[in-house]
Amino acid sequence: MLIGTRTGFGLDFHIERDPGLLCADIFIGGLHVNTWDNAFYPPLLVRCLTEEAARFGAPAEPVAGFTSPREAFGLAEHAAYDDATGRADLVRCAFLEWGECTEEVTAFAFPDGDRVHLACRVRDGGGPAWGTPARDEPTVASVSRIALAETLAAALAVAEREWAVRLAAIKARD
């Protein structure tokens, strides 16, 4: 069940795959960002989707000095691993920090009024945080803030519903 789009931002839920987990593939700009693991712990996914949906509920000004998603991504990625850069404002744009299923992707969501510029890079073997090189240049997708918020809210509704079903099944077994 695809929510959103693969070419912008989307989550493709596979709710039948695992009775105890929520399986979802995540796409940004056509890039499948969690090919190595798509089985989320339901309460964690619900919490993360709740936080992200709230974050994009209202328009926000671009970060001071924002010029392009690619440039901002490079600065934010560098600042995330070297806090001496003074670009904590960019680091606060971190996106997809949803546990081990997304730990191999570095992603940022840069607000720009009614648009959000998503930029991400999938890492091989842990990426810059662990001293390994990035695999590719960042993938960038500029999306409507409203569409992003709606996608996150719809994904949250699916995650909450499916978690409630799984929780009821667990309790029924006990």
Side-chain angles (χ1 to χ4, degrees), residues 39 48 82 134 139 155:
C48 291
D82 178 11
T139 297

Side-chain angles (χ1 to χ4, degrees), residues 11-13 18-26 33-34 36-46 48-49 96-103 159 163 166:
L11 289 96
D12 192 359
F13 281 92
D18 190 317
L21 300 170
L22 293 178
C23 297
D25 296 318
I26 304 169
V33 301
N34 66 326
W36 55 91
D37 188 358
N38 74 348
F40 291 89
Y41 177 58
L44 174 63
L45 184 59
V46 166
C48 291
L49 286 168
L96 292 182
E97 297 199 349
W98 299 357
E100 61 188 43
C101 291
T102 58
E103 62 188 18
W163 175 230
R166 284 159 172 73

